[in-house]
Amino acid sequence: MSTAEVPLISAAGLTKFYGVRVGCLDVDLEAYAGEVLAVVGESGSGKSTLLSLLSTQLRPTRGSVHFRMRDALVRDLFQLEEAQRRLLSRTDWGFVHQDARLGLRMNVSAGGNVGERLMAVGWRNYASIRREARLWLARVEIDGDRIDDLPTTFSGGMRQRLQIAKNMVSAPRLIFMDEPTGGLDVSVQARLIDLMRGLVADHGLAVIIVTHDLAVARLLSHRIIVMRYGRVIETGLTDQVLDDPREPYTQLLVASDLRG
Amino acid sequence: MYVAVKGGEAAIAAAHELLARERRGDPSIPEISVEQVREQLTLAVNRVMCEASLYDPDLAAQAVLQARGDLIEAIFLLRAYRTTLPRLGYAQPVDTGAMQLRRRISATYKDLPGGQLLGPTFDYTHRLFDPGSPAPAPSEPRGRVQPVAEPTPHVTVLLDREGLIEANATADAKPVGDITRDPLAFPADRDVRLQGLARADEGFLLGLAYSTQRGYGRTHPFAGEIRMGEVEVAFTPEELGFEVPLGRITLTECEMVNQFSGSAHAPPQFTRGYGLAFGHSERKAMVMALLDRALRSQDLGQAAKTPAQDPEFVLSHCDNVQASGFVEHLKLPHYVDFQAELALLRQLRAEWLLARGATCEASEPAPDSDGEAAR
Amino acid sequence: MSTPPVYNFAYLDEQTKRTIRRAILKAIAIPGYQVPFPSREMPMPFGWGTGGVQVTASILGPNDVLKVIDQGADDTTNAVSIRHFFARTAAIATTTRTSEATIIQTRHRIPETPLKDGQILVYQVPIPEPLRFLEPRETETRQMHALADYGLMHVKLYEDIARHGHIATTYAYPVMVDQRYLMDPSPTPKFDNPKMHMSPALQLFGAGREQRIYALPPYTRVLSLDFEDHPFERTRFTAPCALCGATDAYLDEVVTDDRGGRMFVCSDTDYCERRRPARQAGDGGERGHEHR
């Protein structure tokens, strides 16, 4: 089986309880290199919990998550050593938070933020780190003059793009995104989505994006998962599901979407 | 001609003599005795015993005197002395249910078995300076002088019978931690946290407890019970194999009844906060109970984002012997490191000025450089 | 108290000394790693050298010769106080001469006189954790050391260069020990960092309040953090010591008048004095004084 057919990440029976409350229940999914998978649903649907489980920030009550490592071996993530998981999250994965303050060091310059992953894996030449940082800032359309500025001086859209640069510098194969367009102007959102599409195409990235915004899902994702009350109620190709939803809840979601 | 500074030793000796003189104060005024401190400044003595973790009213009184009334200094003195004492072992857990009560109140019930016993309290005094203070104590006080002899059950036992409050943690196989024997490590279990809180600075805990009441990690507390009185301390020496009573100590205990929570395995119940202090030390017992509950937030599945709910923050900074030592160490000479900072600062300033075409400021000699010619 | 307490040799009881020595041995076995130990309250305040004192007390023997310095000088108040403490509780010989000491307890300086095989240097450490001011949580920094996850430290150095053109750390300059553990050398000026590398002496670090001991066995590789293109540079003074003429020693700035007059003299008083024999007569201070 070629790597294109083996999922990069997969979940089986993934379940999380918070006390009696259901976070998510029996979720199965797969994501492949070069594709964007959107997880949509309203608040409380369990989509953020799912993302936290997939990125191993939370431990599941039941179920497993498997990931295809760089050496092509598929490993059960929760059976790995903490050290291995941490290494993955610093190199092979990226995580773009809704609130950039969670994904950036706000008291460190843009250059320092982007350079951090490089320094973490042993880059010791200041000029090289800076050069690489400039390259990525340019790639995410942040003016190189801003390299020494603090993210507190950046707009919301710029902060999200800086988060992306910070993650991309280590050539990750999988990016998790949690409502990355939340709170941004529509034009800014569009720019961000364009950027992501370009990166996915250029680098063969896999992206799992959580969003309640169906328009974002439609523009960016190839496949979609619809969640409600912690359960997956519908999955399929994004266009198909959004154009011709089968489940009543999905129909309701699509119908209620103001941008149609 | 400059001669290198000498004489630190002589200076220290002179400083100690001066200290002794200041400590005595005006020699025409009678000297205070240790017994006077013990009897009439009891609450200061209690605080010192509590935070030094050593129950000895005479020694604590002596410490207060030697420290000229600076309680943190007294606590340090007594705590350092404690370190030199040989350790015999651990006492049996004291039974506060069998306490000879001199004071016992509950805010959760109007009346309850054992009643509300006000005891000796400032609570209802009017804080007015009394010109004839201290007022002579009445020889026949109206209040009850003899403590309540019969054991009075805790309020929480009443709630427990109905299953309304979480059960007290039962003794499990794990040995109780000992912060005087093991370095503090995180995450810290409740036993270690309570030990840290027991010797913690009352003021620090007071501020944090207050913050929880003002919204920084609300726990909806009610004072289930505050009791003060004497309990027996018993010890089982290995050689004897049976319990030997060592004597009685005065303790103040506070049980807070807090915000209820439930889980998949149990219906909602009130939760507990616990405080215990040497002597009559109500404020300390109360803030300890409030903090105990706040620090359990994460264990009870609640968000824990405020300083009072953060065990690492609270326990790392609550010991005033550590805190005062480090704060006051700033008085020690730091001139070597300051010199290094001065050198860097001068260099950066010179470079800054140079970059803007200005000359160096005339009065700034630059004796150091990092091998780079800055001018 | 009816009878004054009698103290064990060097104050600490033997059980405590054993516990501390075990921590020291573990520290020596894992150079640069911070070993937790149950620190005792000592008669001097936390923050005033209790860690160093506990280490010294645990290794001190009746035939040891002890030197105590603070800011490089034997006669600063805290050094005097600690030397007296050991003179009182251990009755060992003390000295101001680096070359004659078997144990040197120090705060914030490494002696200029090169140390020899068989000597032990005990450092007083306020904050043992080099990452503390970048990451306040102990649980997090412990993980970072376990995983050799030190990127954050280099980010700090990067920021310094981006902001100031130089690394802006002038003391407590972080080092890598044996290419494994990131270590804080204690607040010695970075000038002293090279002295730790491949030293014939045993170097022990005690942090009483923070409850940590760490160590550098003799001949350990200790390298100051830097970038290839911004290498670590030792501070150099452009003028020699005004008293002894030394050009390779760390100098203290002394303000001599209120018109900006100043002079620079060796911080290491023993080193300075030894270099100026002509001035020894008439100083009136302690020189190589032996106490019993």
Side-chain angles (χ1 to χ4, degrees):
Chain A
M1 215 193 247
S2 74
T3 52
E5 289 155 22
V6 176
L8 185 58
I9 187 169
S10 64
L14 206 52
T15 302
K16 178 73 178 174
F17 280 101
Y18 298 108
V20 278
R21 200 164 55 82
V22 171
C24 64
L25 191 61
D26 289 331
V27 175
D28 299 328
L29 64 70
E30 288 159 357
Y32 295 81
E35 87 165 352
V36 179
L37 175 67
V39 180
V40 304
E42 296 177 298
S43 306
S45 58
K47 54 192 196 297
S48 287
T49 300
L50 178 59
L51 202 68
S52 297
L53 289 168
L54 291 172
S55 57
T56 69
Q57 291 170 70
L58 278 181
R59 271 198 170 263
T61 312
R62 278 198 318 264
S64 63
V65 180
H66 284 80
F67 180 72
R68 176 164 48 82
M69 313 287 275
R70 279 196 203 261
D71 60 6
L73 283 177
V74 176
R75 305 288 304 274
D76 179 340
L77 288 178
F78 290 103
Q79 298 298 317
L80 291 179
E81 297 279 331
E82 175 64 23
Q84 292 168 297
R85 276 196 296 272
R86 267 171 95 112
L87 187 61
L88 279 179
S89 67
R90 300 285 165 98
T91 54
D92 226 9
W93 296 344
F95 201 110
V96 177
H97 297 259
Q98 178 173 14
D99 183 354
R101 284 171 298 184
L102 295 175
L104 296 172
R105 296 195 189 274
M106 298 305 281
N107 58 350
V108 168
S109 68
N113 265 288
V114 177
E116 182 173 355
R117 283 194 175 198
L118 298 174
M119 290 184 259
V121 295
W123 283 45
R124 292 291 174 265
N125 187 293
Y126 177 80
S128 305
I129 294 165
R130 214 162 156 77
R131 189 165 40 237
E132 194 74 7
R134 272 192 209 276
L135 276 176
W136 277 105
L137 288 177
R139 184 67 184 83
V140 301
E141 295 170 29
I142 291 178
D143 194 348
D145 283 350
R146 308 296 309 263
I147 187 172
D148 294 325
D149 291 346
L150 293 180
T152 46
T153 63
F154 285 14
S155 67
M158 279 173 77
R159 290 183 195 180
Q160 294 306 68
R161 282 181 279 131
L162 182 60
Q163 270 200 82
I164 291 170
K166 186 182 168 85
N167 284 293
M168 290 300 300
V169 79
S170 64
R173 291 182 296 147
L174 170 61
I175 308 270
F176 299 100
M177 303 185 93
D178 186 4
E179 307 271 13
T181 57
L184 300 177
D185 289 343
V186 177
S187 62
V188 175
Q189 288 187 29
R191 196 175 169 192
L192 197 63
I193 292 168
D194 261 348
L195 174 64
M196 286 310 302
R197 270 217 292 256
L199 290 174
V200 169
D202 292 345
H203 299 273
L205 287 179
V207 176
I208 301 180
I209 174 169
V210 156
T211 180
H212 65 274
D213 188 336
L214 295 182
V216 169
R218 191 189 273 280
L219 283 171
L220 191 53
S221 68
H222 304 89
R223 287 193 301 121
I224 192 168
I225 282 177
V226 182
M227 291 188 74
R228 188 182 190 215
Y229 298 148
R231 292 164 180 76
V232 175
I233 60 153
E234 188 159 0
T235 92
L237 295 178
T238 304
D239 289 338
Q240 282 179 7
V241 170
L242 293 183
D243 287 340
D244 185 19
R246 261 177 289 185
E247 292 295 317
Y249 176 68
T250 319
Q251 289 166 3
L252 182 61
L253 267 188
V254 172
S256 322
D257 187 45
L258 293 176
R259 284 174 285 174
Chain B
M1 178 61 214
Y2 173 79
V3 176
V5 172
K6 290 278 181 203
E9 200 160 339
I12 289 182
H16 289 168
E17 274 172 45
L18 204 53
L19 178 64
R21 204 132 39 99
E22 294 269 325
R23 196 167 107 200
R24 178 62 184 85
D26 184 344
S28 67
I29 294 176
E31 209 170 343
I32 315 172
S33 72
V34 171
E35 293 75 24
Q36 284 172 314
V37 172
R38 188 193 67 219
E39 290 300 302
Q40 295 165 40
L41 296 181
T42 324
L43 301 182
V45 169
N46 289 342
R47 179 170 169 202
V48 171
M49 292 196 299
C50 219
E51 294 177 25
S53 304
L54 188 65
Y55 192 94
D56 188 324
D58 287 304
L59 273 180
Q62 183 162 355
V64 171
L65 208 47
Q66 187 169 325
R68 301 174 62 194
D70 180 340
L71 293 189
I72 291 181
E73 179 63 36
I75 289 161
F76 177 21
L77 188 56
L78 196 59
R79 183 92 73 78
Y81 178 70
R82 180 192 192 282
T83 303
T84 66
L85 297 173
R87 167 171 296 221
L88 303 173
Y90 296 110
Q92 301 298 333
V94 297
D95 181 5
T96 53
M99 184 186 279
Q100 288 179 330
L101 297 171
R102 284 196 278 136
R103 173 159 158 78
R104 189 271 199 139
I105 55 165
S106 170
T108 48
Y109 291 97
K110 181 166 180 182
D111 203 359
L112 64 169
Q116 306 268 13
L117 181 64
L118 292 184
T121 174
F122 281 121
D123 285 353
Y124 306 103
T125 62
H126 298 146
R127 272 65 167 189
L128 301 168
F129 277 115
D130 194 337
S133 195
S139 47
E140 293 295 331
R142 271 176 300 163
R144 177 189 207 114
V145 175
Q146 290 308 314
V148 176
E150 9 8 300
T152 309
H154 285 94
V155 166
T156 47
V157 167
L158 306 176
L159 290 168
D160 197 24
R161 281 205 195 110
E162 279 188 75
L164 295 172
I165 194 165
E166 57 170 337
N168 250 334
T170 47
D172 51 19
K174 226 170 79 162
V176 173
D178 186 343
I179 62 172
T180 67
R181 282 290 172 269
D182 303 314
L184 188 57
F186 299 101
D189 289 336
R190 193 174 177 203
D191 54 346
V192 167
R193 299 199 301 251
L194 283 169
Q195 286 175 32
L197 293 176
R199 58 167 48 181
D201 183 89
E202 185 179 308
F204 183 68
L205 292 192
L206 180 60
L208 288 172
Y210 180 45
S211 77
T212 65
Q213 293 180 280
R214 293 192 70 257
Y216 290 82
R218 217 172 159 203
T219 58
H220 300 266
F222 288 91
E225 179 146 8
I226 295 171
R227 53 170 62 194
M228 183 274 290
E230 281 62 52
V231 295
E232 190 175 84
V233 179
F235 178 64
T236 303
E238 245 182 273
E239 316 83 56
L240 294 182
F242 55 83
E243 217 174 83
V244 173
L246 297 179
R248 297 192 162 275
I249 62 172
T250 307
L251 291 180
T252 308
E253 182 191 56
C254 173
E255 291 200 284
M256 290 285 181
V257 177
N258 296 87
Q259 176 71 3
F260 41 83
S261 73
S263 72
H265 317 285
Q269 292 175 306
F270 286 117
T271 53
R272 293 173 187 260
Y274 188 77
L276 190 68
F278 283 150
H280 187 185
S281 307
E282 251 167 68
R283 195 182 303 112
K284 178 62 189 285
M286 291 177 75
V287 297
M288 184 175 159
L290 289 171
L291 260 298
D292 172 41
R293 175 58 183 81
L295 292 177
R296 296 179 63 215
S297 296
Q298 206 158 28
D299 292 346
L300 293 168
Q302 295 160 343
K305 296 207 177 96
T306 65
Q309 295 170 306
D310 182 342
E312 215 180 303
F313 181 80
V314 174
L315 296 175
S316 299
H317 304 120
C318 66
D319 182 340
N320 57 34
V321 174
Q322 290 181 13
S324 65
F326 200 43
V327 165
E328 294 194 54
H329 109 286
L330 293 174
K331 295 184 277 189
L332 290 179
H334 284 78
Y335 54 81
V336 163
D337 293 336
F338 187 68
Q339 181 63 45
E341 294 283 86
L342 266 180
L344 177 64
L345 183 61
R346 285 176 175 144
Q347 182 185 353
L348 294 179
R349 288 171 62 84
E351 287 169 5
W352 191 93
L353 290 167
L354 196 69
R356 284 150 187 81
T359 52
C360 290
E361 290 164 7
S363 61
E364 296 266 22
D368 306 40
S369 75
D370 271 357
E372 291 167 24
R375 63 220 105 264
Chain C
M1 279 187 279
S2 41
T3 45
V6 176
Y7 297 110
N8 193 27
F9 175 83
Y11 184 78
L12 293 176
D13 59 277
E14 290 304 314
Q15 188 53 45
T16 300
K17 288 190 201 173
R18 235 169 267 140
T19 307
I20 293 175
R21 284 198 291 262
R22 256 180 249 131
I24 293 173
L25 286 174
K26 184 166 177 179
I28 292 171
I30 316 172
Y33 168 72
Q34 301 163 52
V35 179
F37 82 104
S39 178
R40 296 274 182 266
E41 281 87 2
M42 301 295 283
M44 63 284 298
F46 281 122
W48 294 53
T50 57
V53 168
Q54 286 176 82
V55 169
T56 297
S58 302
I59 63 175
L60 201 62
N63 298 321
D64 273 305
V65 181
L66 177 68
K67 172 178 163 87
V68 184
I69 48 173
D70 184 348
Q71 313 294 293
D74 303 86
D75 201 38
T76 44
T77 46
N78 204 42
V80 169
S81 172
I82 291 175
R83 193 166 55 244
H84 271 187
F85 173 76
F86 282 115
R88 249 174 69 191
T89 59
I92 37 88
T94 64
T95 182
T96 60
R97 299 219 156 119
T98 304
S99 52
E100 290 171 17
T102 56
I103 299 176
I104 301 164
Q105 181 169 327
T106 178
R107 178 170 171 268
H108 297 190
R109 282 291 338 267
I110 300 179
E112 306 292 356
T113 311
L115 298 175
K116 299 183 304 251
D117 192 356
Q119 289 185 302
I120 302 179
L121 187 60
V122 178
Y123 296 73
Q124 295 175 205
V125 181
I127 304 273
E129 178 50 68
L131 297 160
R132 180 58 64 233
F133 299 113
L134 301 174
E135 174 49 71
R137 316 199 65 94
E138 165 70 12
T139 41
E140 197 38 43
T141 51
R142 228 173 36 219
Q143 273 278 56
M144 292 162 87
H145 284 292
L147 305 173
D149 188 2
Y150 296 133
L152 189 54
M153 191 75 244
H154 279 92
V155 169
K156 193 262 176 196
L157 299 180
Y158 168 96
E159 287 295 286
D160 281 351
I161 298 171
R163 202 171 302 153
H164 305 294
H166 307 270
I167 293 171
T169 304
T170 60
Y171 60 91
Y173 193 106
V175 296
M176 273 307 269
V177 176
D178 212 20
Q179 295 176 310
R180 176 54 183 90
Y181 280 101
L182 183 69
M183 189 190 97
D184 185 320
S186 85
T188 47
K190 70 175 193 173
F191 178 89
D192 282 341
N193 273 21
K195 298 189 181 100
M196 291 187 292
H197 178 63
M198 301 301 282
S199 171
L202 170 64
Q203 301 172 74
L204 302 178
F205 297 78
R209 190 182 42 84
E210 296 278 338
Q211 305 181 316
R212 297 285 185 272
I213 284 174
Y214 46 104
L216 298 172
Y219 303 108
T220 302
R221 282 172 301 170
V222 180
L223 296 173
S224 301
L225 259 54
D226 58 10
F227 289 95
E228 283 166 8
D229 48 346
H230 281 79
F232 173 79
E233 269 173 13
R234 204 152 163 263
T235 323
R236 252 173 300 229
F237 293 87
T238 52
C241 167
L243 293 182
C244 77
T247 53
D248 56 353
Y250 192 87
L251 305 179
D252 293 333
E253 183 170 333
V254 179
V255 180
T256 49
D257 58 49
D258 57 9
R259 281 168 285 122
R262 65 194 79 221
M263 60 193 283
F264 290 83
V265 299
C266 285
S267 139
D268 185 333
T269 50
D270 174 55
Y271 183 74
C272 196
E273 274 167 34
R274 309 272 245 123
R275 285 177 51 90
R276 41 187 177 99
R279 291 195 182 277
Q280 258 183 7
D283 254 6
E286 293 182 287
R287 287 176 331 273
H289 214 102
E290 300 232 328
H291 300 265
R292 278 265 163 220

